[in-house]
Amino acid sequence: MDEALLRSLTPGVLGILVRRGADFAAAEDAVQDALLEAVRVWPSGQPRDPKGWLVTVAWRRFLDAARSDTARRRREDLADEEPEPGPVSGTDDTLWLYFLCAHPSLTPSSAVALTLRAVGGLSTRQIARAYLVPEATMAQRISRAKRTVGGARFEKPGDVGTVLRVLYLVFNEGYSGDVDLAAEAIRLTRQLGAAVDHPEVAGLLALMLLHHARRPARTAPDGSLVPLAEQDRGRWDTGAIAEGVAILQAALARDRLGEFQAQAAVAALHADAPTAQETDWVQIVEWYDELARLTDSPVVRLNRAVAVGEADGPRAGLAALATVDPGLPRRTAAEAYLRERDGDPRTAARLYAEAAREASSLAERDHLTRQAARLNTRPGA
Amino acid sequence: MAKYLLLKHYRGAPAAADDVPMDRWTPEEISAHVQYMRDFADRLQETGEFVDGQALAPEGTWVRYDGEGRPPVTDGPFAETKDLIAGWMVIDTDTYERAVELAGELSAAPGAGGRPIHEWLELRPFLAEPPTVTE
């Protein structure tokens, strides 16, 4: 029984049902029924056209449910008027479902939950565990999201950028519960890439692969953060790096630069360096300049200041940092690092301690506290 | 989404605006207060923002390791002036502003005379898992 195949077929099947006029929630129930049926029946002989099989079974289930519910009379009429299941363009329906789940009327967290449920085919329990909330709460979040987009109809495709932002949110959640959300985000982005021809989809996929490749080296066995410069590069996944770089190069060759491609270019330059000292910081600064032009985001200016500090020395980095809003998260940590490199350990220690108090994650706070302690306890401090 | 802890205090917080001790309320007023908090939790479950909530007994004990082979030292119940946590609720909201809004709503639970008590609630963000991307 090929679970990966079933999960990759789910969004297309669901998309077809919804397009034929099925209410979103009822369509999802019907698709779940069809998947269960497939798990039961396929081991003794997989159909030649698995997707067509799923569409037919799901559509029948949907009609049965609609018929058995007299209160849903109107929906039944609607369903009966629709043509019988036949060949449909698969990629369009998958794509359409991505747009629906990332609909602008949804809050980011609802869009994320709905995407994982409807496009990713994860169970509500799995999503609840990944986000550390009760299953009942997640069930409500998803059913509210379904109601919100229930009446949405698209005349034309939605905004790919909206879908990509949702997938990037999923990716950033990383790993908790029994689902690796980063790996799931990569899978969904690959699937999206098969349905839509857009260089930013490739850019995001490359970015995810390049970050994912370095993940094993990012944390020590005790869970503490290992900064990029100190990571054991032998633990990076060279296969994923090579794939990410190849995807990025193909995307850049199309000359339609976007935010994700530029970010992936920075990640690729880090991944390419055999040692931290050999990092091409000059080129990284240039990519941050491109990013700043594309987004003008304060986070980009902060990262650029750190890169300038590496390329042109800590004084130049501090000058670049002066234009970054003092309230921005991680700005204090960046300043502490630059002050230390500029030969001012006392100020650096004070700033590291301050940055630790501002940190939003435990691993980051512990890391910054250790930095402050290192400077405060060394001989002559 | 980010998780926040809403802390209710028995003591140690600034006085509520409608500061009548609970044992001076009528039984109906107490029921109304409890019901308000239940309804609040139910509503949050429907919006997908509820994570957890528990009430705590007022008796707390300070406990400390007292060396190898010895039972832990206990320091008895809290002194009257010490801070004391009455209960908590954990919520998961899209923004900090929404968390503040919800804390404000919970603080409006009815008290004596059915008036909102305007009690102070402490709102504390959870430290999150580090995001996958930091460099």
Side-chain angles (χ1 to χ4, degrees):
Chain A
M1 190 63 244
D2 190 348
E3 197 195 327
L5 171 70
L6 275 184
R7 286 182 60 200
S8 70
L9 292 174
T10 304
V13 175
L14 184 51
I16 289 171
L17 261 66
V18 177
R19 267 217 186 167
R20 283 185 182 159
D23 159 84
F24 193 97
E28 227 229 333
D29 288 345
V31 172
Q32 290 305 315
D33 282 349
L35 292 173
L36 287 176
E37 187 69 6
V39 170
R40 202 173 63 79
V41 173
W42 286 11
S44 51
Q46 185 168 313
R48 251 186 313 144
D49 174 11
K51 186 174 176 185
W53 188 96
L54 284 170
V55 170
T56 306
V57 173
W59 187 247
R60 262 190 226 130
R61 290 295 163 106
F62 166 71
L63 289 182
D64 287 349
R67 285 202 189 97
S68 68
D69 189 351
T70 46
R72 295 184 179 175
R73 192 76 209 167
R74 281 191 58 240
R75 197 173 300 130
E76 183 187 1
D77 293 343
L78 171 70
D80 276 345
E81 287 161 15
E82 291 291 318
E84 275 298 295
V88 208
S89 62
T91 53
D92 282 0
D93 292 299
T94 303
L95 185 56
W96 189 81
L97 197 62
Y98 274 91
F99 288 133
L100 188 66
C101 292
H103 197 273
S105 63
L106 296 169
T107 62
S109 55
S110 308
V112 161
L114 192 59
T115 299
L116 289 171
R117 182 80 187 88
V119 187
L122 292 178
S123 73
T124 303
R125 170 179 297 206
Q126 285 174 313
I127 304 168
R129 284 195 183 158
Y131 285 91
L132 302 173
V133 300
E135 200 177 335
T137 294
M138 187 53 80
Q140 286 292 353
R141 213 180 271 180
I142 292 169
S143 70
R144 277 172 70 91
K146 281 187 205 168
R147 280 202 299 277
T148 304
V149 299
R153 288 286 176 268
F154 291 97
E155 302 300 314
K156 55 180 190 296
D159 175 16
V160 174
T162 314
V163 176
L164 295 180
R165 276 191 292 280
V166 169
L167 293 176
Y168 199 41
L169 282 178
V170 173
F171 180 78
N172 271 294
E173 284 297 324
Y175 187 93
S176 52
D178 56 352
V179 184
D180 186 339
L181 288 175
E184 181 64 14
I186 289 173
R187 188 182 75 83
L188 294 178
T189 308
R190 273 190 207 284
Q191 191 171 272
L192 177 66
V196 64
D197 182 33
H198 192 295
E200 273 292 85
V201 178
L204 178 61
L205 181 57
L207 177 65
M208 287 175 173
L209 286 168
L210 288 162
H211 279 308
H212 202 57
R214 300 198 304 246
R215 192 168 74 171
R218 279 191 64 229
T219 40
D222 65 0
S224 60
L225 284 186
V226 182
L228 183 57
E230 292 160 29
Q231 286 173 18
D232 173 2
R233 289 170 189 236
R235 298 183 64 203
W236 289 357
D237 178 347
T238 47
I241 290 174
E243 191 195 354
V245 169
I247 291 172
L248 172 66
Q249 280 169 344
L252 289 175
R254 300 175 62 180
D255 206 22
R256 280 167 63 201
L257 186 65
E259 201 182 325
F260 288 122
Q261 293 169 73
Q263 283 192 55
V266 172
L269 286 165
H270 284 304
D272 259 355
T275 66
Q277 290 70 36
E278 290 168 85
T279 306
D280 187 347
W281 287 105
V282 174
Q283 231 197 112
I284 288 178
V285 172
E286 285 168 9
W287 278 111
Y288 275 125
D289 289 340
E290 289 284 357
L291 262 174
R293 267 194 288 280
L294 288 166
T295 68
D296 194 34
S297 125
V299 177
V300 168
R301 270 185 282 137
L302 174 63
N303 287 333
R304 185 185 169 278
V306 175
V308 167
E310 299 292 346
D312 303 328
R315 288 287 163 86
L318 287 165
L321 200 61
T323 65
V324 179
D325 175 5
L328 192 72
R330 299 213 173 97
R331 186 196 183 282
T332 313
E335 186 178 346
Y337 173 74
L338 291 167
R339 292 280 175 209
E340 184 185 355
R341 286 199 50 225
D342 192 37
D344 184 357
R346 290 173 74 92
T347 308
R350 181 178 58 74
L351 289 170
Y352 273 129
E354 194 183 319
R357 282 192 294 277
E358 294 167 1
S360 63
S361 93
L362 192 56
E364 209 176 308
R365 186 179 72 183
D366 292 348
H367 173 73
L368 292 166
T369 307
R370 233 174 261 127
Q371 297 296 316
R374 174 176 56 80
L375 294 177
N376 281 329
T377 55
R378 67 178 191 173
Chain B
M1 297 289 271
K3 293 193 180 65
Y4 295 89
L5 177 65
L6 301 181
L7 280 179
K8 281 169 84 82
H9 295 254
Y10 281 118
R11 296 191 288 272
D18 193 46
D19 196 20
V20 180
M22 218 164 167
D23 57 9
R24 306 286 170 82
W25 300 2
T26 66
E28 292 74 26
E29 285 163 357
I30 293 171
S31 297
H33 181 82
V34 170
Q35 191 60 46
Y36 182 94
M37 293 194 292
R38 276 203 198 117
D39 292 347
F40 181 75
D42 286 349
R43 243 183 7 259
L44 287 187
Q45 187 146 101
E46 271 167 40
T47 59
E49 294 171 311
F50 180 79
V51 180
D52 195 12
Q54 295 285 325
L56 294 174
E59 290 78 27
T61 306
W62 288 95
V63 180
R64 200 197 68 188
Y65 173 67
D66 196 37
E68 194 66 45
R70 299 160 69 102
V73 179
T74 59
D75 186 33
F78 294 114
E80 194 60 33
T81 52
K82 281 182 187 160
D83 186 9
L84 191 54
I85 292 160
W88 76 77
M89 185 178 283
V90 178
I91 57 175
D92 188 2
T93 59
D94 266 312
T95 61
Y96 171 73
E97 287 70 25
R98 172 69 178 157
V100 170
E101 182 189 322
L102 290 175
E105 225 175 275
L106 185 57
S107 157
R115 300 181 299 269
I117 51 179
H118 300 265
E119 71 177 326
W120 288 95
L121 289 174
E122 194 180 359
L123 177 69
R124 303 271 299 269
F126 274 51
L127 282 175
E129 287 294 310
T132 305
V133 181
T134 53
E135 298 113 16

